[in-house]
């Protein structure tokens, strides 16, 4: 049995110093805690698993592109999503760990609150790490 441990690698985000990259097992735990905090809207819990400078870049597959940095921007985005959508369900979620990056692939079903329009999209999220926490989340979607 092999146990994967965290490792330190050069930091490409800062250009100097070192940053801890979590093992796949540690990443899985980070993602569980991140998702739980995000879906509850608990920014205190969220900022225990992300770096202080966490950046969430988001493209909705239609027209919206956003860069969310800081708890206020994330809460505003979550509130906008709740106002826009009456339902949102993620399916076929899978994580893929590759070197110092992780990817999440998924399918999402959404219902637009105002019109009742049903939307289906495929998506991929790219995650990077810093100091053993999530440092960035890049979201890309495309309609089916």
């Amino acid at each position: 049995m092999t146990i994967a441990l965290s490792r330190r690698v050069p930091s490409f985000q800062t250009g100097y110093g070192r940053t801890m990259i979590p093992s796949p097992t540690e990443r899985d735990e980070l993602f569980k805690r991140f998702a739980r905090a995000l879906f509850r809207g608990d920014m205190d819990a969220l900022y225990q698993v992300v770096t202080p400078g966490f950046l969430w870049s988001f493209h909705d597959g239609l027209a919206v592109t956003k860069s969310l940095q800081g708890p206020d921007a994330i809460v505003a985005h979550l509130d906008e999503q709740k106002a826009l959508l009456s339902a949102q369900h993620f399916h076929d979620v899978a994580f893929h760990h590759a070197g110092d990056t992780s990817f999440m692939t998924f399918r999402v079903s959404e219902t637009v609150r105002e019109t009742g329009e049903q939307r289906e999209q495929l998506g991929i999220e790219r995650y990077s790490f810093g100091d053993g926490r999530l440092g960035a989340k890049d979201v890309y979607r495309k309609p089916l």
Side-chain angles (χ1 to χ4, degrees):
M1 177 179 185
T2 303
I3 298 174
L5 301 175
S6 302
R7 61 189 173 93
R8 291 203 174 272
V9 297
S11 173
F12 298 103
Q13 294 173 342
T14 61
Y16 63 90
R18 300 180 74 70
T19 185
M20 188 181 84
I21 304 301
S23 71
T25 302
E26 291 167 328
R27 293 179 199 198
D28 290 340
E29 182 58 30
L30 279 173
F31 289 127
K32 285 178 192 171
R33 292 174 55 204
F34 178 82
R36 189 173 23 248
L38 188 65
F39 289 112
R40 290 181 179 161
D42 184 343
M43 291 301 110
D44 290 334
L46 187 81
Y47 273 83
Q48 291 177 13
V49 297
V50 303
T51 60
F54 176 72
L55 177 62
W56 177 352
S57 300
F58 177 85
H59 186 281
D60 73 352
L62 301 169
V64 175
T65 301
K66 295 181 180 180
S67 290
L68 310 171
Q69 192 160 27
D72 293 342
I74 293 171
V75 167
H77 172 71
L78 296 175
D79 288 346
E80 288 171 10
Q81 291 292 100
K82 286 178 187 172
L84 175 66
L85 305 170
S86 61
Q88 184 180 55
H89 301 284
F90 288 82
H91 315 274
D92 306 326
V93 174
F95 285 92
H96 314 273
H97 305 305
D100 62 355
T101 303
S102 287
F103 299 91
M104 182 183 91
T105 56
F106 61 92
R107 183 173 56 86
V108 62
S109 304
E110 300 172 326
T111 304
V112 177
R113 185 177 303 282
E114 189 173 293
T115 64
E117 173 192 2
Q118 300 286 310
R119 300 192 309 205
E120 292 283 328
Q121 295 181 318
L122 289 178
I124 186 166
E125 297 182 358
R126 177 188 178 276
Y127 292 89
S128 60
F129 302 89
D131 297 324
R133 297 188 283 172
L134 298 172
K137 171 181 175 167
D138 299 310
V139 179
Y140 306 94
R141 295 184 180 184
K142 77 173 203 173
L144 291 176

